[in-house]
Structures are given as structure tokens and as C-alpha cells.
Amino acid sequence: MTSWFELRWRPESMCFVNSRLDGYPAETANLLQEAGQKGVRHFAGLQARANPAGMWRSAGCAKLKEINLSYIETMVAMQIQLEDQILQLHVQYAKRKKISLQIDMAGLIIVKAPAGAGEEMIRSAVLRHGEWILESLRKNAAARQLPAPKEYQEEGRFLYLGKEVLLHELIDTGERDPEKLKLELKKFYFSSLKKLVAERLPRYQTLLKVKPKSVEIVESRTKWGSCSSDKKLTFNYRLAMAPPEVIDYVIIHELCHLLHMNHDRSFWRRLGSVMPDYKEKEAFLARQGQFMTL
């Protein structure tokens, strides 16, 4: 059994409030409070995963040293100035040896720091990577911008297999109006993806030892692929605009759903066994998906 234990730190009274613990005796709260006070002093909040096999070495333990502090993570908000920008940092303290930085697509800067790391140590680490942080924020901001309108003419540029290609290299432009060219281009993407999936699917079916009931290319605004409970797979025609390895990722993802219908740990482990760098492909779709349109 795994339960979630939540605490909120109230600085003015130096105590935890709003605690919740499901499935464990009340005295456990006191142990976790002591652990938090002994570990990191600056709290905005604390979450700890309580696991009988990992958090405690024996049932009903009463000693602080018997708590596995690797399960305890605290989070605080900080500000730092880089050039002319005031940036918000989301600092996560946990049992770890080094400081690491992450920036999500929304521009949130996440700092993962060792428990007990001082504010100056964190600021120093952030400043050392200041140039990288600002460049990443600029790229993320650009990626969030709306894509430019498409030009349905001979020299118009469209994505195909991850590269920009002139429209006349994809379809016969002739003397058609933009709406007819758009329709022809959509048909091209549908047929191209159908062929690509048919070529690439058998390899991954063999690796995963699964076989779908049917495969269909569809138009969807929200999904790159899907797997139904009756083993029918669908793939969004816009995937023809993505690099081949990203198409492979979506194929593997949906085939893995034939083994695990939800996104539990077993699903991700199976996917990772076939494509270890699948997170890079997910990030590509999150970052570039808005540009893969007609």
C-alpha cells in the first residue's frame, strides 16, 4: 500500500498545518514533522510518500533516524534577476547530491536541490547557467507563438517528415485555387502516412508481440494516435509532417496500449524498452505540434 501524506509549513508559528495521512497511525505525523524540521528549514510545503516497505524499517517505529528521508521533498518559491528580467524559481528540495535545472514549455524554471542546500548555493548555480536559461526561455516563448498562415501557392512551404518542403514538390499545383490546393495537400498527407505506417508498423508489432485489429488514418485536433478497447488503432494524418522517429514513437505508443490500456508504470516501462529516448519525441510533439497544421 502507498499513501500520500501532505503537510503545509506555517513560518510565523514554526509548525505544520493541514496535515493528512491515509492508512497510517497518527503518531506518524509527528515523526514526519520532526524529519522536516531537522532536514530543510525553509518550507512552502512538503509532500512525502509513505510506504511501509521503504519509509519505515519496522512497524510502529518511534525513532527519527529510522525514517527514510529520500521520500521527503519540500518546495519553495524564489526570485532571481538575470540581465533585465526577474525570474521565478520553483525550488524542489530532496535527498540528492547535485543541483539540476529544468525549464518547462510554460517557462517555469524548476531547480532540484539537495536537502539543506542554502539559498546562495542555489542562486550561484542558476547564475552559472544564466545564458542557457534565457536562451531556453526565448525558444519556448517563440514556440508558443501562433503559427504563420499557410500560403497555398507553388512556392508555399509545408512540413513533410520533419522538413520544410515547397508545395509544388509535394503535389501538382497546376492552376488551382487555394482551397483546392489545401484539399489536395491533405489527401497527400493521408496517403503518405498510411504508407509510412504500413511500412513501419510490422517491425514494432514483432518487437512487442502484439497485433491490432485494424489501423486507420484519421483527422483529429487533439490526438496524435489512439487505441480502442477492441484493438483498433488510429493515427492523425498530420503525423506525416513529423520526423520519421517521431512517427515511430506514436506507433510504438499506441501498440503498447494493446498491452496496457492506461498510462501506468508498466506501460511506460514497456514503451521505454523499445524506445529509450521516447521523452524527446514527446517533447517534440509538445513543442512543434502547433506548427504541424494546414
Side-chain angles (χ1 to χ4, degrees):
M1 178 180 68
T2 298
S3 298
W4 281 97
F5 181 62
E6 297 179 352
L7 299 170
R8 290 289 179 266
W9 179 250
R10 181 175 289 171
E12 64 273 16
S13 59
M14 296 296 287
C15 68
F16 288 99
V17 296
N18 299 331
S19 60
R20 186 184 77 207
L21 184 65
D22 298 324
Y24 292 92
E27 58 266 23
T28 304
N30 296 327
L31 293 174
L32 284 170
Q33 287 179 1
E34 292 177 33
Q37 291 168 349
K38 186 173 181 178
V40 182
R41 295 290 181 176
H42 305 287
F43 285 83
L46 179 146
Q47 273 195 340
R49 177 173 288 170
N51 186 309
M55 179 70 82
W56 294 278
R57 293 175 185 160
S58 61
C61 75
K63 294 183 180 179
L64 183 62
K65 66 181 181 180
E66 293 184 17
I67 293 179
N68 182 350
L69 293 178
S70 66
Y71 280 85
I72 295 178
E73 182 179 273
T74 65
M75 294 163 282
V76 303
M78 289 175 55
Q79 286 187 340
I80 193 169
Q81 182 167 349
L82 286 176
E83 294 183 359
D84 59 344
Q85 297 187 50
I86 302 296
L87 304 177
Q88 298 290 333
L89 307 179
H90 180 86
V91 185
Q92 298 179 352
Y93 292 96
K95 188 176 181 182
R96 56 187 295 123
K97 294 181 179 180
K98 298 180 180 179
I99 292 177
S100 67
L101 303 176
Q102 295 178 358
I103 301 177
D104 68 11
M105 287 301 298
L108 179 66
I109 304 171
I110 302 169
V111 183
K112 296 186 177 182
E119 187 172 319
E120 286 306 312
M121 179 187 297
I122 293 169
R123 290 185 182 276
S124 177
V126 173
L127 290 172
R128 283 199 305 273
H129 295 87
E131 185 175 342
W132 172 79
I133 290 172
L134 293 176
E135 180 62 21
S136 297
L137 291 175
R138 282 191 287 267
K139 288 181 178 179
N140 287 356
R144 292 195 299 271
Q145 293 178 357
L146 294 176
K150 304 293 184 181
E151 296 182 5
Y152 290 91
Q153 57 184 357
E154 190 174 4
E155 299 298 315
R157 293 181 176 273
F158 294 84
L159 288 170
Y160 180 57
L161 297 182
K163 299 179 181 179
E164 278 197 339
V165 182
L166 297 177
L167 182 59
H168 72 83
E169 296 176 320
L170 298 176
I171 62 173
D172 177 17
T173 53
E175 294 186 6
R176 298 189 180 95
D177 63 40
E179 284 303 316
K180 289 182 179 179
L181 289 174
K182 182 176 181 179
L183 181 59
E184 288 300 313
L185 184 57
K186 181 181 287 189
K187 289 179 180 178
F188 167 79
Y189 284 132
F190 263 89
S191 61
S192 294
L193 186 65
K194 183 176 182 179
K195 182 179 178 181
L196 285 164
V197 171
E199 291 172 349
R200 308 174 90 83
L201 191 69
R203 176 192 173 196
Y204 298 115
Q205 284 184 188
T206 302
L207 284 172
L208 292 164
K209 299 179 181 179
V210 295
K211 187 176 181 179
K213 184 176 181 180
S214 65
V215 178
E216 186 180 2
I217 309 303
V218 300
E219 181 173 1
S220 173
R221 298 182 62 182
T222 59
K223 294 182 179 180
W224 296 110
S226 69
C227 174
S228 67
S229 57
D230 56 354
K231 299 186 177 182
K232 294 180 180 179
L233 304 188
T234 66
F235 298 98
N236 192 328
Y237 81 93
R238 294 189 292 123
L239 278 173
M241 305 178 196
E245 62 271 17
V246 175
I247 298 173
D248 286 348
Y249 159 69
V250 179
I251 291 173
I252 297 167
H253 186 115
E254 301 311 328
L255 286 175
C256 283
H257 276 312
L258 296 175
L259 298 169
H260 309 279
M261 282 303 295
N262 54 18
H263 291 105
D264 59 12
R265 290 183 180 180
S266 298
F267 170 85
W268 294 112
R269 279 197 298 266
R270 195 68 187 95
L271 196 159
S273 70
V274 179
M275 179 175 277
D277 61 347
Y278 70 87
K279 288 186 178 181
E280 294 179 11
K281 313 307 185 290
E282 281 190 325
F284 177 91
L285 290 172
R287 184 176 65 252
Q288 298 296 331
Q290 62 181 320
F291 300 105
M292 294 161 54
T293 58
L294 291 182

